[in-house]
Amino acid sequence: MRIKWVECAALSVMAALSVMTGGGSWFLALALGVTLLKCLLIPTYHSTDFEVHRNWLAITHSLPISQWYYEATSEWTLDYPPFFAWFEYALSHVAKYFDQEMLNVHNLNYSSSRTLLFQRFSVIFTDALFVYAVHECCKCVDGKKACKELTEKPKFILSVLLLWNFGLLIVDHIHFQYNGFLFGLMLLSIARLFQKRHMEGAFLFAVLLHFKHIYLYVAPAYGIYLLRSYCFTANKPDGSIRWNSFSFVRLISLGLTVFLVSALSLGPFLALNQLPQVFSRLFPFKRGLCHAYWAPNFWAVYNALDKVLSVIGLNDKWFGSAVPTHSPSLGDSLGHPHLHPDCHIGPRGFLRCLILCALSSFMFGWHVHEKAILLAILPMSLLSVGKAGDASIFLILSTTGHYSLFPLLFTAPELPIKILLMLLFTIYSISSLKTLFRKEKPLFNWMETFYLLGLGPLEVFCEFVFPFTSWKLKYPFIPLLLTSVYCAVGITYAWFKLYVSVFTDPPVGKTKKQ
């Protein structure tokens, strides 16, 4: 039954393409096409996150605010910042017209057909902000590349890479979450900084932090860039800071913006003397170093090596003294801000540092979730249409990062869907960026090509060979382990390559220009 939906999805893609080639409204056609695809994914599998958000609808709708961060009838307690709680509260007042029973706190694991429709459509509807943010980001793309064909223009390619992003599609519209809406706030904030509307960008990012605190990962990039490019109002001829140009008025205005947003979000809980309880939900440091899923980062490789060495009796000798034994601090949860270079080379330099913040935190952070890789992939899309080197890093990062999400969809009916959607996105990404930079050197060397092609045999083994082996019952975790470790190698390579490019590549355009 669900495979027929895949065929319909493919037809929707073709329909969108036929409309957009007609000329003027290509962006609208892309947005409508992907919206249709999202609608076709409504009957697919959904994860426990579906119940998480249903429970949050019930908590915020049926309980007073004083109980929101104490309610624990379900194991899926409210652990997002207050703005997201109010977001659920607003949705709940629409949800009651679909099915009042979904708003009962004691109706655990409740899932009627109307509940399904409401929650799926709520994600699709709120994605409108993401679509608008992508449109604004496209205005920031350098359009100097002369291309006769619409499909070869950087703005068109960027629109497809963002609107049709494979990871966002499966995480939000199959697995189930509200990342599109949140990434819309982030991309809109980035666009405003490119447009030199610094206060708007700062305001949007402050709001975003109070919707989902995972975006603290990239806060160092925002702080440094705003201090450098907004609070300092002039440069010397060589591009360095003119120290006497520092504006205390601008610094105070930025601080006041952040303070007022924070006061609006946290003020009610401060008045209720509940801030410690809220923060204990937001930062559950008692959780382990690694998420159960094993996000493909440094710790996945570390744990795999530790396991191998333990089998041969060498783990105490090599890794015993290196295992983290302290309780994590806030700095651990944010990654390693000291790794991030100065953001002094204009908006593109800021964007590069933002991605490094996201990727460094993903690589070394405490209890990182696998879906956090999207925090680096989506903004990297903006860089990918500017330089061939960035396009290469994007393709390695997105292909590897997207494949690492495959174990999220472990049910048989979704297997052809995830394979088809990833193939479509990956083939388009590679072919379009190769065409865009066809006059430059190849985007991949032989080693990178060999590594990416290795994802094919890995998928065949995990999905079609391993289930029929005797290992399945004794070692059911092997496919996930192999996927995480293999993808960790590619993501680590992309992180290192991006980090090196910050110090070795000349910026696109001179500082004066930016």
Side-chain angles (χ1 to χ4, degrees), residues 87-294:
F87 171 71
E88 295 278 9
Y89 173 80
L91 287 178
S92 72
H93 284 277
V94 180
K96 65 184 179 182
Y97 295 108
F98 283 75
D99 187 346
Q100 186 72 32
E101 287 303 307
M102 79 171 86
L103 303 176
N104 186 336
V105 172
H106 300 286
N107 272 356
L108 302 183
N109 298 310
Y110 183 79
S111 180
S112 66
S113 58
R114 291 188 176 186
T115 301
L116 175 68
L117 285 174
F118 169 75
Q119 291 202 229
R120 289 293 198 191
F121 276 118
S122 68
V123 179
I124 295 171
F125 178 78
T126 54
D127 273 358
L129 179 60
F130 181 75
V131 173
Y132 173 69
V134 172
H135 185 266
E136 290 299 296
C137 284
C138 287
K139 295 179 181 178
C140 305
V141 171
D142 184 7
K144 292 179 182 178
K145 292 183 182 292
C147 303
K148 293 182 180 179
E149 294 294 329
L150 169 66
T151 53
E152 295 180 9
K153 294 182 181 295
K155 291 184 179 183
F156 180 86
I157 295 172
L158 177 60
S159 297
V160 178
L161 295 181
L162 289 173
L163 292 176
W164 291 77
N165 180 270
F166 166 76
L168 207 51
L169 280 174
I170 68 165
V171 169
D172 276 13
H173 301 281
I174 299 181
H175 180 80
F176 192 84
Q177 280 190 348
Y178 289 92
N179 292 292
F181 164 69
L182 298 171
F183 277 117
L185 279 173
M186 179 180 171
L187 291 178
L188 189 57
S189 171
I190 292 171
R192 293 299 180 246
L193 294 186
F194 268 76
Q195 296 161 1
K196 299 190 183 302
R197 294 157 67 174
H198 297 92
M199 286 299 296
E200 288 182 49
F203 170 76
L204 289 167
F205 183 68
V207 169
L208 176 61
L209 288 179
H210 289 276
F211 268 99
K212 191 170 184 178
H213 51 304
I214 193 175
Y215 293 94
L216 279 169
Y217 285 164
V218 299
Y222 272 89
I224 294 172
Y225 179 70
L226 287 169
L227 182 66
R228 174 64 179 84
S229 298
Y230 182 67
C231 294
F232 286 95
T233 59
N235 294 333
K236 294 179 181 178
D238 62 358
S240 60
I241 296 175
R242 191 181 295 278
W243 294 98
N244 61 3
S245 69
F246 184 77
S247 171
F248 282 101
V249 173
R250 291 190 173 192
L251 178 64
I252 292 171
S253 65
L254 280 176
L256 191 60
T257 299
V258 175
F259 173 78
L260 290 176
V261 171
S262 301
L264 184 62
S265 170
L266 300 173
F269 301 96
L270 178 63
L272 292 168
N273 198 28
Q274 291 185 358
L275 275 188
Q277 175 64 18
V278 173
F279 287 135
S280 70
R281 287 283 183 88
L282 298 184
F283 302 102
F285 288 134
K286 293 182 180 180
R287 295 177 181 177
L289 174 63
C290 292
H291 186 253
Y293 182 100
W294 267 36

Side-chain angles (χ1 to χ4, degrees), residues 24-33:
S25 56
W26 58 267
F27 184 86
L28 179 61
L30 285 175
L32 290 176

Side-chain angles (χ1 to χ4, degrees), residues 315-493:
N315 62 327
D316 289 336
K317 179 179 179 180
W318 292 94
F319 284 168
S321 62
V323 177
T325 56
H326 67 289
S327 297
S329 64
L330 182 58
D332 290 321
S333 71
L334 300 182
H336 301 273
H338 65 274
L339 293 176
H340 312 315
D342 189 11
C343 307
H344 70 280
I345 52 174
R348 292 187 67 83
F350 154 73
L351 182 57
R352 192 176 298 273
C353 291
L354 180 148
I355 298 165
L356 275 176
C357 282
L359 211 44
S360 297
S361 299
F362 181 84
M363 288 291 299
F364 304 106
W366 186 276
H367 200 79
V368 174
H369 285 233
E370 68 291 336
K371 297 178 284 291
I373 192 61
L374 295 177
L375 193 55
I377 291 176
L378 287 168
M380 191 69 208
S381 304
L382 277 71
L383 290 182
S384 70
V385 296
K387 293 172 59 178
D390 291 334
S392 174
I393 296 171
F394 166 77
L395 291 173
I396 296 169
L397 179 64
S398 63
T399 304
T400 310
H402 285 158
Y403 181 77
S404 73
L405 299 174
F406 264 37
L408 284 175
L409 308 182
F410 52 84
T411 51
E414 277 64 46
L415 178 61
I417 297 178
K418 66 183 182 183
I419 291 177
L420 176 61
L421 287 179
M422 175 153 179
L423 281 175
L424 286 173
F425 182 83
T426 304
I427 292 171
Y428 173 80
S429 301
I430 295 174
S431 61
S432 61
L433 290 174
K434 276 190 172 182
T435 301
L436 184 63
F437 300 107
R438 57 182 173 271
K439 295 181 181 179
E440 303 187 34
K441 65 179 183 180
L443 297 181
F444 303 127
N445 59 37
W446 70 267
M447 182 185 68
E448 295 163 348
T449 302
F450 181 80
Y451 171 80
L452 291 176
L453 289 175
L455 292 171
L458 177 62
E459 174 66 6
V460 171
F461 175 79
C462 291
E463 296 286 1
F464 303 105
V465 177
F466 182 81
F468 300 100
T469 66
S470 58
W471 296 345
K472 182 180 179 180
L473 295 177
K474 192 173 181 181
Y475 305 108
F477 58 85
I478 284 181
L480 178 56
L481 184 150
L482 291 176
T483 299
S484 294
V485 173
Y486 192 88
C487 292
V489 173
I491 291 173
T492 302
Y493 176 78

